[in-house]
Amino acid sequence: MAMTTLTRMRVARTGVFVGLVLGAVFAAGPVLWMLSSSFKSNTQIFELPPRLITETFSFDAYVQIFTTPETVRFFINSYVVAGAVTVLTLLVAIQAAYAFSRFEFRGKRIVNVIIVSVQAVPPITLLIPYFGLMVTLGLYNTYPGLILTYMVFTLPYAIIMMTGYFNTLPKELDEAVRVDGAGSFTALWRVLVPISIPGIVSVGIYTFMIAWNEFLFALTLTRTIDMRTVPIGIQLLMGQHSYEWNQIMAMSILGSIPVLVLFLFFQRFFISGLTAGSVKS
């Protein structure tokens, strides 16, 4: 007997539901195992058969992280660098995007091509030139060196996204402000920026994620322990003869929390900002 339309719909929905459950397990499984391992000793992590939930939870890994000045410094450095990169990137990107969206000027198309082209350059190809540049400028192993380097990679995306978002806003808003006697600066910061919060938040979260998780340049452009960031700190827990797996897992969990909190808190703005910036009304 042929299946009815209702039966086919139920089978399709069941298949979609099963697929989503399997995808969720596949995505969440490693995170759950990482969280579980952070509360175990190194011996318990490798016990057979493996167990996700152990009878005894140990907070030794977290205590060790919070009581070690070096690991605490890793988090401070990451917050300083990622926060500064996010703020500076947004300040520059908002003004640049406003210029690209609202004004016509000589070389506009060339500058646009350059911005897009930077996105296509593999960061690793710029590693040695940036190392030499930072040493020459005296910015090696400093906050400004990391911040300026990260901004090279965050600014193009931020400008492209903010330009797309500003393009969705009617130009009549600017004209109304100018009729009242104000200038472009007032139109940007008093009118466009307040109604562009979703786009700004989405770009800010993405920028923070890039700066927070960056490993390659943080490893190359810093030398001393007091300038290392969280990704480098995790790598330093991998010793020559032994790995502190429980501390590695605990530090990975703590390193994931800032991005997770930002995304959960600004989720509504993040999603609407990405969708609004992808089309032009």
Side-chain angles (χ1 to χ4, degrees), residues 209-251:
M209 289 171 55
I210 292 179
W212 182 269
N213 295 320
E214 207 286 322
F215 176 85
L216 184 61
F217 284 89
L219 176 64
T220 306
L221 299 182
T222 58
R223 180 183 69 254
T224 57
I225 292 294
D226 63 323
M227 283 302 302
R228 301 293 196 183
T229 56
V230 170
I232 310 302
I234 295 175
Q235 190 268 339
L236 291 176
L237 292 174
M238 302 178 183
Q240 182 178 0
H241 302 290
S242 64
Y243 286 8
E244 298 294 337
W245 285 110
N246 55 347
Q247 293 185 39
I248 292 174
M249 299 300 177
M251 199 164 180

Short mmCIF file of all heavy atoms in Angstrom, two decimals, residues 209-251:
data_model
loop_
_atom_site.label_atom_id
_atom_site.label_comp_id
_atom_site.label_asym_id
_atom_site.label_seq_id
_atom_site.Cartn_x
_atom_site.Cartn_y
_atom_site.Cartn_z
N MET A 209 35.95 37.01 18.96
CA MET A 209 36.27 35.60 18.80
C MET A 209 37.61 35.41 18.09
O MET A 209 38.42 34.56 18.48
CB MET A 209 35.16 34.89 18.03
CG MET A 209 33.87 34.73 18.81
SD MET A 209 32.52 34.14 17.77
CE MET A 209 33.22 32.64 17.08
N ILE A 210 37.84 36.18 17.04
CA ILE A 210 39.11 36.06 16.31
C ILE A 210 40.28 36.41 17.22
O ILE A 210 41.29 35.68 17.28
CB ILE A 210 39.09 36.98 15.07
CG1 ILE A 210 38.09 36.47 14.03
CG2 ILE A 210 40.49 37.04 14.45
CD1 ILE A 210 38.01 37.33 12.80
N ALA A 211 40.17 37.53 17.92
CA ALA A 211 41.28 37.97 18.77
C ALA A 211 41.48 37.04 19.96
O ALA A 211 42.62 36.79 20.37
CB ALA A 211 41.01 39.40 19.26
N TRP A 212 40.41 36.50 20.50
CA TRP A 212 40.51 35.64 21.68
C TRP A 212 41.15 34.29 21.33
O TRP A 212 41.93 33.75 22.10
CB TRP A 212 39.13 35.42 22.28
CG TRP A 212 39.14 34.59 23.52
CD1 TRP A 212 38.99 33.23 23.60
CD2 TRP A 212 39.29 35.05 24.87
NE1 TRP A 212 39.05 32.82 24.91
CE2 TRP A 212 39.23 33.91 25.71
CE3 TRP A 212 39.47 36.32 25.44
CZ2 TRP A 212 39.35 34.01 27.09
CZ3 TRP A 212 39.58 36.41 26.82
CH2 TRP A 212 39.52 35.26 27.62
N ASN A 213 40.81 33.75 20.17
CA ASN A 213 41.26 32.40 19.81
C ASN A 213 42.55 32.37 18.99
O ASN A 213 43.05 31.28 18.70
CB ASN A 213 40.16 31.69 19.01
CG ASN A 213 38.92 31.44 19.84
OD1 ASN A 213 39.01 31.10 21.01
ND2 ASN A 213 37.76 31.62 19.22
N GLU A 214 43.08 33.52 18.60
CA GLU A 214 44.26 33.54 17.73
C GLU A 214 45.47 32.92 18.42
O GLU A 214 45.76 33.20 19.57
CB GLU A 214 44.57 34.99 17.33
CG GLU A 214 45.29 35.12 16.00
CD GLU A 214 46.74 34.71 16.09
OE1 GLU A 214 47.38 34.99 17.12
OE2 GLU A 214 47.25 34.10 15.13
N PHE A 215 46.16 32.07 17.70
CA PHE A 215 47.29 31.34 18.27
C PHE A 215 48.61 31.67 17.59
O PHE A 215 49.62 31.94 18.25
CB PHE A 215 47.02 29.83 18.16
CG PHE A 215 48.17 28.98 18.63
CD1 PHE A 215 48.31 28.68 19.98
CD2 PHE A 215 49.11 28.48 17.73
CE1 PHE A 215 49.37 27.90 20.42
CE2 PHE A 215 50.17 27.70 18.17
CZ PHE A 215 50.30 27.41 19.52
N LEU A 216 48.62 31.66 16.26
CA LEU A 216 49.87 31.73 15.52
C LEU A 216 50.65 33.01 15.79
O LEU A 216 51.84 32.98 16.14
CB LEU A 216 49.59 31.59 14.02
CG LEU A 216 50.80 31.54 13.10
CD1 LEU A 216 51.66 30.33 13.43
CD2 LEU A 216 50.35 31.49 11.64
N PHE A 217 49.99 34.17 15.65
CA PHE A 217 50.68 35.44 15.84
C PHE A 217 50.96 35.70 17.32
O PHE A 217 51.97 36.33 17.65
CB PHE A 217 49.86 36.59 15.25
CG PHE A 217 49.94 36.65 13.76
CD1 PHE A 217 49.05 35.96 12.97
CD2 PHE A 217 50.93 37.39 13.12
CE1 PHE A 217 49.12 36.00 11.59
CE2 PHE A 217 51.03 37.44 11.74
CZ PHE A 217 50.11 36.74 10.97
N ALA A 218 50.07 35.21 18.20
CA ALA A 218 50.33 35.36 19.64
C ALA A 218 51.57 34.59 20.05
O ALA A 218 52.32 35.02 20.94
CB ALA A 218 49.12 34.88 20.43
N LEU A 219 51.81 33.45 19.41
CA LEU A 219 53.00 32.66 19.72
C LEU A 219 54.26 33.31 19.16
O LEU A 219 55.31 33.33 19.80
CB LEU A 219 52.84 31.26 19.15
CG LEU A 219 54.03 30.31 19.30
CD1 LEU A 219 54.31 30.03 20.77
CD2 LEU A 219 53.78 29.01 18.54
N THR A 220 54.15 33.88 17.96
CA THR A 220 55.33 34.42 17.28
C THR A 220 55.72 35.80 17.78
O THR A 220 56.91 36.12 17.88
CB THR A 220 55.07 34.49 15.76
OG1 THR A 220 54.65 33.21 15.29
CG2 THR A 220 56.32 34.92 15.01
N LEU A 221 54.72 36.63 18.10
CA LEU A 221 55.00 38.03 18.44
C LEU A 221 55.14 38.27 19.93
O LEU A 221 55.22 39.43 20.36
CB LEU A 221 53.88 38.92 17.87
CG LEU A 221 53.72 38.88 16.35
CD1 LEU A 221 52.62 39.83 15.91
CD2 LEU A 221 55.03 39.20 15.64
N THR A 222 55.15 37.22 20.73
CA THR A 222 55.39 37.37 22.17
C THR A 222 56.53 36.44 22.57
O THR A 222 56.74 35.39 21.96
CB THR A 222 54.14 37.05 23.00
OG1 THR A 222 53.70 35.71 22.72
CG2 THR A 222 53.03 38.02 22.67
N ARG A 223 57.23 36.82 23.62
CA ARG A 223 58.39 36.04 24.05
C ARG A 223 58.29 35.60 25.50
O ARG A 223 58.62 34.45 25.82
CB ARG A 223 59.67 36.87 23.84
CG ARG A 223 60.95 36.17 24.25
CD ARG A 223 62.18 37.07 24.10
NE ARG A 223 62.19 38.15 25.08
CZ ARG A 223 61.92 39.42 24.79
NH1 ARG A 223 61.61 39.77 23.55
NH2 ARG A 223 61.94 40.36 25.72
N THR A 224 57.82 36.48 26.37
CA THR A 224 57.82 36.18 27.80
C THR A 224 56.46 35.65 28.25
O THR A 224 55.44 35.88 27.62
CB THR A 224 58.16 37.45 28.60
OG1 THR A 224 57.21 38.48 28.28
CG2 THR A 224 59.55 37.95 28.25
N ILE A 225 56.49 34.95 29.38
CA ILE A 225 55.27 34.34 29.92
C ILE A 225 54.22 35.41 30.23
O ILE A 225 53.01 35.19 30.05
CB ILE A 225 55.59 33.53 31.19
CG1 ILE A 225 56.42 32.30 30.83
CG2 ILE A 225 54.32 33.11 31.91
CD1 ILE A 225 55.68 31.29 29.98
N ASP A 226 54.66 36.57 30.71
CA ASP A 226 53.69 37.59 31.13
C ASP A 226 52.98 38.25 29.95
O ASP A 226 52.08 39.06 30.16
CB ASP A 226 54.39 38.67 31.97
CG ASP A 226 55.46 39.41 31.18
OD1 ASP A 226 56.14 38.76 30.37
OD2 ASP A 226 55.60 40.63 31.38
N MET A 227 53.33 37.89 28.70
CA MET A 227 52.64 38.43 27.53
C MET A 227 51.86 37.36 26.77
O MET A 227 51.21 37.65 25.77
CB MET A 227 53.64 39.10 26.58
CG MET A 227 54.11 40.47 27.03
SD MET A 227 52.76 41.65 27.23
CE MET A 227 52.05 41.62 25.59
N ARG A 228 51.91 36.13 27.22
CA ARG A 228 51.22 35.06 26.53
C ARG A 228 49.71 35.17 26.75
O ARG A 228 49.24 35.70 27.75
CB ARG A 228 51.71 33.70 27.03
CG ARG A 228 53.20 33.46 26.85
CD ARG A 228 53.59 33.37 25.40
NE ARG A 228 54.92 32.79 25.22
CZ ARG A 228 55.54 32.63 24.07
NH1 ARG A 228 54.95 33.01 22.97
NH2 ARG A 228 56.74 32.10 23.99
N THR A 229 48.94 34.62 25.79
CA THR A 229 47.49 34.62 25.88
C THR A 229 46.98 33.20 26.18
O THR A 229 47.76 32.26 26.28
CB THR A 229 46.87 35.13 24.58
OG1 THR A 229 47.33 34.34 23.49
CG2 THR A 229 47.24 36.59 24.34
N VAL A 230 45.68 33.06 26.32
CA VAL A 230 45.09 31.78 26.71
C VAL A 230 45.45 30.64 25.76
O VAL A 230 45.84 29.56 26.21
CB VAL A 230 43.56 31.91 26.87
CG1 VAL A 230 42.91 30.54 27.05
CG2 VAL A 230 43.23 32.81 28.06
N PRO A 231 45.30 30.80 24.43
CA PRO A 231 45.69 29.67 23.55
C PRO A 231 47.13 29.23 23.74
O PRO A 231 47.42 28.02 23.69
CB PRO A 231 45.46 30.25 22.15
CG PRO A 231 44.42 31.30 22.33
CD PRO A 231 44.74 31.92 23.67
N ILE A 232 48.04 30.18 23.96
CA ILE A 232 49.43 29.81 24.19
C ILE A 232 49.57 29.14 25.55
O ILE A 232 50.35 28.19 25.72
CB ILE A 232 50.35 31.04 24.12
CG1 ILE A 232 50.07 31.83 22.85
CG2 ILE A 232 51.81 30.62 24.17
CD1 ILE A 232 50.24 31.03 21.58
N GLY A 233 48.82 29.61 26.54
CA GLY A 233 48.86 29.01 27.87
C GLY A 233 48.43 27.56 27.85
O GLY A 233 49.01 26.72 28.54
N ILE A 234 47.42 27.25 27.05
CA ILE A 234 46.98 25.85 26.92
C ILE A 234 48.09 25.01 26.32
O ILE A 234 48.35 23.89 26.76
CB ILE A 234 45.70 25.78 26.08
CG1 ILE A 234 44.55 26.49 26.80
CG2 ILE A 234 45.33 24.33 25.78
CD1 ILE A 234 43.28 26.57 25.98
N GLN A 235 48.75 25.54 25.31
CA GLN A 235 49.83 24.79 24.66
C GLN A 235 51.00 24.58 25.62
O GLN A 235 51.67 23.54 25.56
CB GLN A 235 50.28 25.55 23.41
CG GLN A 235 51.23 24.80 22.51
CD GLN A 235 52.69 25.06 22.85
OE1 GLN A 235 53.01 26.07 23.48
NE2 GLN A 235 53.58 24.16 22.46
N LEU A 236 51.25 25.54 26.51
CA LEU A 236 52.36 25.41 27.45
C LEU A 236 52.12 24.33 28.49
O LEU A 236 53.07 23.88 29.15
CB LEU A 236 52.61 26.75 28.15
CG LEU A 236 53.17 27.88 27.27
CD1 LEU A 236 53.28 29.17 28.05
CD2 LEU A 236 54.52 27.48 26.69
N LEU A 237 50.87 23.91 28.67
CA LEU A 237 50.58 22.83 29.61
C LEU A 237 50.97 21.47 29.04
O LEU A 237 50.90 20.46 29.75
CB LEU A 237 49.08 22.82 29.96
CG LEU A 237 48.59 24.02 30.79
CD1 LEU A 237 47.08 23.96 30.96
CD2 LEU A 237 49.27 24.03 32.16
N MET A 238 51.34 21.44 27.78
CA MET A 238 51.81 20.19 27.17
C MET A 238 53.31 20.13 27.34
O MET A 238 54.08 20.72 26.57
CB MET A 238 51.42 20.17 25.68
CG MET A 238 49.94 20.29 25.44
SD MET A 238 49.52 20.30 23.67
CE MET A 238 47.74 20.57 23.76
N GLY A 239 53.76 19.42 28.37
CA GLY A 239 55.18 19.36 28.68
C GLY A 239 55.92 18.39 27.80
O GLY A 239 55.36 17.69 26.95
N GLN A 240 57.22 18.32 28.01
CA GLN A 240 58.05 17.44 27.20
C GLN A 240 57.81 15.97 27.52
O GLN A 240 57.83 15.12 26.64
CB GLN A 240 59.53 17.79 27.41
CG GLN A 240 60.49 16.95 26.56
CD GLN A 240 61.93 17.36 26.76
OE1 GLN A 240 62.22 18.28 27.53
NE2 GLN A 240 62.85 16.68 26.08
N HIS A 241 57.56 15.68 28.80
CA HIS A 241 57.42 14.29 29.23
C HIS A 241 55.99 13.94 29.67
O HIS A 241 55.66 12.77 29.78
CB HIS A 241 58.39 13.99 30.37
CG HIS A 241 59.82 14.24 30.01
ND1 HIS A 241 60.52 13.44 29.11
CD2 HIS A 241 60.68 15.21 30.41
CE1 HIS A 241 61.76 13.89 28.99
NE2 HIS A 241 61.90 14.97 29.76
N SER A 242 55.17 14.92 29.96
CA SER A 242 53.81 14.64 30.41
C SER A 242 52.89 15.79 30.06
O SER A 242 53.33 16.94 29.93
CB SER A 242 53.79 14.41 31.93
OG SER A 242 54.18 15.60 32.62
N TYR A 243 51.62 15.45 29.89
CA TYR A 243 50.59 16.44 29.61
C TYR A 243 49.67 16.54 30.81
O TYR A 243 49.20 15.53 31.33
CB TYR A 243 49.76 16.03 28.39
CG TYR A 243 50.45 16.19 27.05
CD1 TYR A 243 51.79 16.51 26.96
CD2 TYR A 243 49.74 16.03 25.88
CE1 TYR A 243 52.42 16.65 25.74
CE2 TYR A 243 50.36 16.18 24.64
CZ TYR A 243 51.70 16.48 24.58
OH TYR A 243 52.31 16.62 23.37
N GLU A 244 49.38 17.76 31.23
CA GLU A 244 48.42 17.98 32.31
C GLU A 244 47.03 18.06 31.68
O GLU A 244 46.45 19.14 31.52
CB GLU A 244 48.76 19.26 33.08
CG GLU A 244 50.11 19.24 33.76
CD GLU A 244 50.18 18.21 34.87
OE1 GLU A 244 49.12 17.83 35.40
OE2 GLU A 244 51.30 17.77 35.19
N TRP A 245 46.49 16.89 31.34
CA TRP A 245 45.25 16.86 30.57
C TRP A 245 44.08 17.51 31.31
O TRP A 245 43.26 18.20 30.70
CB TRP A 245 44.90 15.43 30.18
CG TRP A 245 45.74 14.88 29.09
CD1 TRP A 245 46.68 13.90 29.17
CD2 TRP A 245 45.74 15.30 27.71
NE1 TRP A 245 47.27 13.67 27.95
CE2 TRP A 245 46.71 14.52 27.03
CE3 TRP A 245 45.02 16.25 26.99
CZ2 TRP A 245 46.97 14.65 25.67
CZ3 TRP A 245 45.28 16.39 25.64
CH2 TRP A 245 46.23 15.60 24.99
N ASN A 246 43.96 17.28 32.61
CA ASN A 246 42.85 17.88 33.34
C ASN A 246 42.94 19.39 33.37
O ASN A 246 41.93 20.10 33.22
CB ASN A 246 42.77 17.31 34.75
CG ASN A 246 44.08 17.48 35.52
OD1 ASN A 246 45.12 17.80 34.96
ND2 ASN A 246 44.02 17.25 36.82
N GLN A 247 44.17 19.93 33.51
CA GLN A 247 44.32 21.38 33.47
C GLN A 247 44.10 21.94 32.07
O GLN A 247 43.56 23.04 31.90
CB GLN A 247 45.71 21.77 33.97
CG GLN A 247 45.95 21.49 35.44
CD GLN A 247 47.29 22.00 35.92
OE1 GLN A 247 47.74 23.07 35.52
NE2 GLN A 247 47.95 21.22 36.77
N ILE A 248 44.53 21.17 31.07
CA ILE A 248 44.28 21.59 29.69
C ILE A 248 42.79 21.69 29.41
O ILE A 248 42.30 22.66 28.82
CB ILE A 248 44.95 20.61 28.70
CG1 ILE A 248 46.47 20.71 28.80
CG2 ILE A 248 44.49 20.88 27.27
CD1 ILE A 248 47.20 19.67 27.96
N MET A 249 42.05 20.69 29.86
CA MET A 249 40.59 20.70 29.67
C MET A 249 39.94 21.82 30.46
O MET A 249 39.04 22.52 29.97
CB MET A 249 40.00 19.35 30.07
CG MET A 249 40.51 18.18 29.27
SD MET A 249 40.16 18.36 27.49
CE MET A 249 40.98 16.90 26.85
N ALA A 250 40.39 22.03 31.70
CA ALA A 250 39.81 23.09 32.53
C ALA A 250 40.08 24.46 31.93
O ALA A 250 39.20 25.33 31.89
CB ALA A 250 40.39 23.00 33.94
N MET A 251 41.29 24.67 31.44
CA MET A 251 41.63 25.96 30.85
C MET A 251 40.89 26.16 29.53
O MET A 251 40.52 27.30 29.19
CB MET A 251 43.14 26.05 30.63
CG MET A 251 43.65 27.46 30.44
SD MET A 251 45.44 27.55 30.64
CE MET A 251 45.69 29.32 30.36
#
